Amino acid sequence: MKPNWQAFATLLLSALAFSGTTDAVEGGLVHTNAIRTIDLRSLPAVTEQIGVVVQNVRDSKAIKTFTVYIPHTKADRLAKVTVHERKSGAELQVSKMDNEHLKNPLSPQPIEYRATFLQPLQPGEKISLNIDCVYLNTIEPRPKVVEQTGDQTWLWKDDARLLWAYPIHKEKTVVRTNGEIKSYSQIKESSKDGKSVTFGPFIGGESPNAPVEVRFRDNREQLEAMTHRREYFVSHWSNDLNILEHYALRNRAPALDAFDKVKQTMSRFMKARDNFVKTLLVKVPADAREMYVVDEIGNVSTSSVTSRQRLNGDAFKVMQLKPRYPLAGQWNYTWWHGYSVPLSNYLRVNRNHHALRVPFIGSI
């Protein structure tokens, strides 16, 4: 039987990618200290900031790049990754690497991002970096079904230690929540302080990696846009720019064990808390006019709009959209809304060239 050299080469490259040597990526770097902070206070987005001190341990050669690994289990939920110098705040250029030759269905590989230092890191030199990652849909309701007025509890889970491309001397993970912590993984290197849990510190390779969990209460609204489409219609004749936005929204909160309309109506008059979303707030430009809201049944006449507001130098209005029915956990609502703005505020004309400057996506 002839040896399968192609399969052997694939396994060899996979082994090199995870070997303890630093030659597999950018050799010569070590992490002297790393602190990962998981922020669960801005759900449904989960922000992960990693503060790390990187040192060039080579004798004579400077290093130009730094590698960041994203585990394959989280790669499809990654919305954004950035790297900054902690001291200057300057952002480093980050590129996603193509590792097609390392793909192996038996041993899934992490997604590799490579950041370029503003100045090559000289031998013996240290630099402090902040790695910021934003993930979506990484928490789950636990339990998945609750009473109509019951608390919403959520589960965050991940590995206690990060996947590094370089040797690490010391690291720890801090998880911060907005509400009461109900439970967390009781490993040896763990502690709780109010609304935060710390896993670590872990020294070198002394402590093995292990999955950890934090279950916490958060009764705030957790909305997810399953689909969103924005359309622009340009009218030179009337100097109008018409915007039409389509939304399919879902409430990510736990499902209800039973729906009681009488209890839901009473809670509204008594101003008691329940697990329903009753109003949707949509930001529109300050010069928006002729606004309307339509769902699959017809016009939604219960909506309103606020007067002009200003925040951080940006002027805007807020459209207060009230769905035909309160959105319980796991319920969906589909609608579209539109408005017009003066075209001259967004269109620049230079002879035969027209440049339309508009936001790419909206927000709720």
Side-chain angles (χ1 to χ4, degrees), residues 97-227:
M97 307 305 295
D98 182 10
N99 292 339
E100 291 291 334
H101 63 288
L102 289 179
K103 286 190 175 179
N104 181 359
L106 299 179
S107 178
Q109 308 298 312
I111 306 302
E112 179 181 335
Y113 288 85
R114 191 160 296 181
T116 302
F117 293 124
L118 300 179
Q119 299 292 334
L121 194 65
Q122 301 300 321
E125 188 178 0
K126 292 183 179 181
I127 187 171
S128 297
L129 301 175
N130 283 337
I131 306 168
D132 295 285
C133 301
V134 179
Y135 295 94
L136 301 176
N137 300 332
T138 57
I139 63 167
E140 301 175 353
R142 288 291 189 276
K144 293 186 177 182
V145 178
V146 297
E147 296 180 355
Q148 193 162 301
T149 57
D151 284 331
Q152 298 175 174
T153 56
W154 303 85
L155 178 69
W156 170 88
K157 56 183 179 180
D158 201 347
D159 289 333
R161 306 191 66 171
L162 286 165
L163 180 61
W164 295 108
Y166 314 99
I168 175 74
H169 292 172
K170 183 180 179 182
E171 65 175 311
K172 71 176 179 179
T173 294
V174 180
V175 181
R176 294 176 177 170
T177 70
N178 189 67
E180 177 189 1
I181 295 176
K182 296 291 187 177
S183 63
Y184 64 97
S185 298
Q186 302 280 344
I187 63 175
K188 180 180 178 181
E189 304 89 348
S190 64
S191 60
K192 174 176 171 283
D193 182 12
K195 298 180 181 179
S196 66
V197 176
T198 300
F199 298 103
F202 306 106
I203 308 300
E206 294 179 2
S207 301
N209 201 359
V212 291
E213 299 179 351
V214 175
R215 195 169 69 90
F216 60 99
R217 183 185 65 193
D218 195 329
N219 289 324
R220 295 176 301 171
E221 298 174 354
Q222 308 293 342
L223 297 174
E224 174 187 12
M226 297 180 293
T227 61

Side-chain angles (χ1 to χ4, degrees), residues 83-92:
V83 181
H84 293 81
E85 285 189 358
R86 188 181 306 170
K87 184 176 181 180
S88 65
E91 183 174 353
L92 277 59

Side-chain angles (χ1 to χ4, degrees), residues 285-337:
D287 53 2
R289 57 181 187 248
E290 301 173 357
M291 287 167 273
Y292 61 92
V293 181
V294 181
D295 62 12
E296 295 173 322
I297 298 177
N299 290 329
V300 183
S301 57
T302 55
S303 301
S304 61
V305 63
T306 66
S307 58
R308 183 187 179 103
Q309 302 181 35
R310 184 173 292 275
L311 179 65
N312 298 329
D314 295 329
F316 59 92
K317 297 176 182 177
V318 177
M319 183 185 296
Q320 298 176 337
L321 189 158
K322 293 187 177 181
R324 294 184 183 274
Y325 51 87
L327 286 180
Q330 305 302 310
W331 286 15
N332 302 330
Y333 186 61
T334 302
W335 84 93
W336 56 96
H337 64 265

Side-chain angles (χ1 to χ4, degrees), residues 148-149 219 263-264 267-268 272-276 278:
Q148 193 162 301
T149 57
N219 289 324
K263 184 183 295 186
Q264 191 271 327
S267 66
R268 182 178 60 183
R273 197 198 70 78
D274 56 28
N275 292 318
F276 293 95
K278 306 176 185 68

